[in-house]
Amino acid sequence: MVSSTPSRRIDRWFDPTLRVILIAGILLFILYPIGSVIATSFYYRGTFTLQNYMDLADPRNVTLILNSLRIGIVSSGIAVLIALAISLFAFGQAAVVKKRIETLLMVTMISPPFVSALAYIILFGRRGLITHGWLGLSINPYGWHGIVILQVLGSISFATLMVLNSLSSIDLRHLLAAQDLGARPGAILRTVVLPLLRPTLLSVFFLLFTMNIADFGTPIVIGGNFKVLATEAYLQVISTPHLGKAAAISVLMLPSAIVAFYFYQKSFSRTDLTSVGVTSLKNDDYRFPLPKPLSIFLGSLVGLYFFIMLLKYGNIFLSTVANTSTGRIVLTDQYFKDLPLTFFKSFRASIALSALAGLIAPLLGILLSYYVHRRRLNYLKPVEFIASLPFIIPGTFYGLGYVAAFSHQPLMLRGTWLILGANMVFRQISVSNKAANSFFVTLDHRLEHAASDLGASKFRILGNVILPLTRPIFYTSFISVFTSSMTSMGAIAFIVSPGMNLASMELFGSVENGRYGVASVQAVMMIAVIALVNVIVLAIKNRKRVT
């Protein structure tokens, strides 16, 4: 009793203070910016009006809207089909092969923005190594087709991992029952697997659609004269002080994000429903018997995709030490010498802020899950939903929200490191929150009850029981948050400022100015740091598991 008294005293102020800080942070750095964007879209020169939305009906803007829809639908549709093909192939392989495919997909996601665009231009541009140097062709890589190719290549790994995760969650009894009834693999695929996958496929499609129509970087770099709505919003923000039109454009992107979230939730509820009352039978080691011709076709597609990825990364590494603009490979170290000094400062800032986000965001996500799902504080459920909004809405919308919310008194944070750090931290809370939610479902409540019966306070239960048990979630979330923050573009593009820039924006500037060799060096430096941090954290995580 004596030893627990100080902890009990701490409980009186620590626990409520922690909750107040958590709630205040989420409301200030998530809900307030989102509300500010929506409010800004209804104001023009300080007057409430619908003018910003009426301006979007201008014929030029209608063309931009149609271009965005066209690009979003085509890119997302193709990416989902390829992701489905790769996922089905992996589903038909032994567990070890499936695991290797997942690992390779995750490796291909360690990619700074514009790496695909760089490889595309260097290899297939007008002076491309392959098209011009080896084949003697002069192909225009710019235009809507270039945007589609790059957005598809940039989306496949992410989409495949989502579909593959959904395939792994299918209750094995559905598949075994169909086989016992004599159904052939093709019939099982059509009547069992694909119907169960439908919500996930729709969720992935709308998620990619939202990401693609909000992508302003790729159209600027590779679009040529082909303009889309996101580029207009970006140019509006950086070239004029008037945020209303950019805000209205960003609000137009919300419906597809909401639809994506609806199907995302439906996909999860389907998983839950399949196991109501009983424990679902895991299919991690199950090998779906794909028809042989289909397996060969899908296998060829998988091989082609990873060959393209190999070509992409190989080209980026080669381009750091070779000039290929003449159609021949000429070794040089000039690109390292041409690295702007400002990049090193931005690079250090990116690493520091990403590490900070990697430490804080998982902790906040786990705490939020603990209060909602272990302590059952239901009044925090709306706060948990608000924390998930940055995961749902486009990055440009969230970044614009910070401009609208923190560019004036009393919260004038624009132009400080704080606004960049807060953006990275609060945008990523839902990553660890969702992982912790799944973990707490399987954690026995008797652990906390036993600690409480022994006199432990809530503070000690949190520090000595809950947080140590959630350490694997923390490490995994750290990797995800660090990688996302290092490669973040849309959410931070509007809030960087001279002297307070980040590596991804420096990379964007190099690509935009045609300094492809320098951009390759910058991209490789970012890849190296991300890969090194991933390896170190995974080693720590695995060592802890062994001990």
Side-chain angles (χ1 to χ4, degrees):
M1 289 297 290
V2 173
S3 62
S4 68
T5 302
S7 295
R8 296 281 182 196
R9 287 182 190 147
I10 291 175
D11 260 2
R12 291 197 196 106
W13 62 267
F14 178 79
D15 198 56
T17 305
L18 198 58
R19 272 179 277 158
V20 168
I21 292 173
L22 189 61
I23 295 170
I26 289 171
L27 294 181
L28 179 62
F29 291 111
I30 296 179
L31 187 60
Y32 178 50
I34 290 173
S36 296
V37 177
I38 297 171
T40 303
S41 70
F42 290 104
Y43 279 88
Y44 183 76
R45 297 184 189 281
T47 305
F48 182 84
T49 176
L50 294 177
Q51 189 61 43
N52 293 320
Y53 290 95
M54 293 168 66
D55 287 345
L56 295 180
D58 178 85
R60 180 175 173 278
N61 289 324
V62 170
T63 302
L64 295 180
I65 293 172
L66 293 176
N67 286 348
S68 295
L69 291 174
R70 175 182 168 192
I71 290 294
I73 291 171
V74 174
S75 301
S76 309
I78 294 174
V80 168
L81 287 176
I82 297 176
L84 175 62
I86 298 174
S87 303
L88 287 177
F89 177 78
F91 195 46
Q93 306 306 310
V96 62
V97 178
K98 193 190 301 182
K99 188 66 182 173
R100 284 176 184 167
I101 291 175
E102 285 180 346
T103 304
L104 285 174
L105 288 169
M106 284 190 278
V107 169
T108 61
M109 290 179 69
I110 303 176
S111 174
F114 312 115
V115 166
S116 296
L118 272 175
Y120 179 69
I121 294 170
I122 293 172
L123 293 176
F124 303 105
R126 288 187 188 280
R127 307 287 294 177
L129 181 63
I130 293 178
T131 50
H132 178 72
W134 295 352
L135 302 178
L137 303 174
S138 180
I139 295 176
N140 181 13
Y142 302 99
W144 72 269
H145 57 284
I147 301 173
V148 168
I149 290 171
L150 294 180
Q151 288 187 342
V152 167
L153 288 176
S155 307
I156 288 175
S157 293
F158 170 72
T160 303
L161 287 171
M162 285 193 69
V163 177
L164 201 50
N165 182 55
S166 186
L167 272 173
S168 300
S169 70
I170 293 177
D171 194 333
L172 186 55
R173 287 169 299 191
H174 294 299
L175 307 175
L176 296 179
Q179 285 180 352
D180 290 344
L181 291 171
R184 294 186 173 182
I188 298 174
L189 196 61
R190 287 195 311 276
T191 58
V192 179
V193 176
L194 291 180
L196 287 172
L197 273 184
R198 191 178 299 134
T200 300
L201 294 176
L202 287 170
S203 170
V204 174
F205 174 83
F206 283 104
L207 201 56
L208 296 185
F209 179 79
T210 305
M211 290 164 58
N212 289 333
I213 63 170
D215 175 18
F216 63 86
T218 305
I220 287 177
V221 173
I222 207 76
N225 294 324
F226 189 86
K227 306 295 181 189
V228 296
L229 210 53
T231 56
E232 179 69 11
Y234 174 73
L235 295 174
Q236 280 285 324
V237 175
I238 64 168
S239 60
T240 72
H242 177 48
L243 293 179
K245 186 177 178 183
I249 291 172
S250 296
V251 171
L252 281 186
M253 299 175 188
L254 279 184
S256 60
I258 294 169
V259 173
F261 182 68
Y262 167 76
F263 283 113
Y264 178 77
Q265 291 291 84
K266 193 173 180 182
S267 172
F268 270 89
S269 62
R270 187 267 301 163
T271 303
D272 292 340
L273 285 172
T274 56
S275 58
V276 170
V278 292
T279 303
S280 60
L281 197 55
K282 297 292 182 185
N283 62 35
D284 293 341
D285 297 326
Y286 176 73
R287 183 174 180 177
F288 184 75
L290 284 171
K292 194 168 183 179
L294 181 61
S295 181
I296 293 173
F297 172 72
L298 296 180
S300 304
L301 200 61
V302 172
L304 177 62
Y305 174 66
F306 284 121
F307 173 73
I308 292 173
M309 290 296 105
L310 187 63
L311 201 61
K312 180 179 89 171
Y313 284 100
N315 170 75
I316 290 300
F317 280 93
L318 177 65
S319 298
T320 61
V321 293
N323 182 350
T324 59
S325 60
T326 59
R328 294 181 295 111
I329 298 174
V330 180
L331 296 179
T332 177
D333 61 353
Q334 190 59 42
Y335 303 134
F336 287 90
K337 296 176 182 175
D338 289 343
L339 269 178
L341 292 176
T342 55
F343 176 73
F344 293 99
K345 182 183 177 185
S346 304
F347 190 50
R348 287 195 299 271
S350 284
I351 295 172
L353 288 175
S354 300
L356 188 70
L359 291 171
I360 298 176
L363 198 56
L364 295 180
I366 291 170
L367 278 177
L368 188 58
S369 179
Y370 166 69
Y371 282 125
V372 174
H373 298 280
R374 294 304 278 188
R375 299 273 296 276
R376 301 190 185 284
L377 303 180
N378 289 331
Y379 67 89
L380 284 176
K381 281 187 175 178
V383 179
E384 187 180 39
F385 174 74
I386 293 169
S388 69
L389 289 177
F391 180 76
I392 303 166
I393 60 178
T396 48
F397 183 99
Y398 190 57
L400 190 59
Y402 272 58
V403 177
F406 303 119
S407 296
H408 49 76
Q409 299 297 343
L411 293 170
M412 180 63 189
L413 300 179
R414 197 175 181 189
T416 67
W417 291 115
L418 178 59
I419 192 172
L420 290 167
N423 184 287
M424 289 182 179
V425 168
F426 286 91
R427 188 165 180 242
Q428 311 278 358
I429 287 179
S430 62
V431 174
S432 56
N433 179 249
K434 285 178 171 43
N437 288 349
S438 301
F439 172 76
F440 283 140
V441 170
T442 61
L443 186 64
D444 196 333
H445 277 279
R446 285 175 292 187
L447 281 171
E448 291 133 284
H449 293 162
S452 181
D453 290 345
L454 290 171
S457 65
K458 291 184 177 68
F459 171 71
R460 294 190 67 176
I461 291 173
L462 177 63
N464 296 341
V465 178
I466 298 297
L467 291 182
L469 286 172
T470 54
R471 201 175 283 154
I473 295 172
F474 178 83
Y475 288 129
T476 306
S477 301
F478 178 92
I479 290 173
S480 174
V481 173
F482 181 84
T483 304
S484 299
S485 300
M486 280 292 292
T487 58
S488 177
M489 174 79 189
I492 54 98
F494 303 129
I495 53 176
V496 293
S497 54
M500 291 187 181
N501 207 351
L502 296 177
S504 57
M505 291 305 298
E506 291 263 3
L507 174 59
F508 175 55
S510 297
V511 175
E512 196 177 17
N513 294 320
R515 304 176 69 198
Y516 302 135
V518 172
S520 298
V521 175
Q522 293 169 330
V524 167
M525 288 175 67
M526 293 172 70
I527 291 172
V529 167
I530 295 169
L532 181 64
V533 170
N534 276 245
V535 169
I536 291 173
V537 176
L538 280 175
I540 295 172
K541 179 187 172 189
N542 293 334
R543 190 189 65 184
K544 292 286 183 186
R545 187 185 296 170
V546 171
T547 55

